[in-house]
Amino acid sequence: MQIRIEIDVKPEELRRFLGLPDVAGLQEDLISFLRDKLGAAAETFDPSSFVKDNLQTLRQSAPWQLLVSSAKARSSASAAAPAEKTAAKRTRKRSAKADGTTEAKPARRRKTARRKVAKPPSSSES
């Protein structure tokens, strides 16, 4: 079983019915006050001083701290990997010198794709 009730009422009528105060006058006063303040602030607004003033607040916020800590973790992990590889290479070189073997492994060459170009027929062949 379904019961559907539709009530067509304006917001002001609903507020009165529920016993809520009429805030239309207060709302208009607040909007005019904000317009005046924003108009005055727009004339003297300096973006650089705004950023400087609010930068410390931003740095102390939890989302900013999370962003900075995750960036530091990523950068330290990526910086540690090349250092470990370099240390491993040094150790191999030292152990090779200690063994008396001075031969180094040949450097790896990159495989490059080479195109085969068809040679034009020479005039001497005809």
Side-chain angles (χ1 to χ4, degrees), residues 7-24:
I7 301 174
D8 187 24
V9 64
K10 295 180 182 177
E12 297 87 25
E13 293 173 348
L14 183 61
R15 272 192 228 113
R16 259 187 276 131
F17 178 75
L18 294 174
L20 298 173
D22 184 20
V23 293

Side-chain angles (χ1 to χ4, degrees), residues 9-55:
V9 64
K10 295 180 182 177
E12 297 87 25
E13 293 173 348
L14 183 61
R15 272 192 228 113
R16 259 187 276 131
F17 178 75
L18 294 174
L20 298 173
D22 184 20
V23 293
L26 178 64
Q27 191 174 17
E28 289 174 10
D29 291 342
L30 182 63
I31 289 174
S32 66
F33 173 77
L34 288 175
R35 280 187 185 144
D36 294 340
K37 285 292 189 181
L38 288 175
E43 294 171 2
T44 60
F45 182 70
D46 181 27
S48 62
S49 66
F50 176 78
V51 170
K52 287 177 186 176
D53 294 343
N54 293 301
L55 192 60

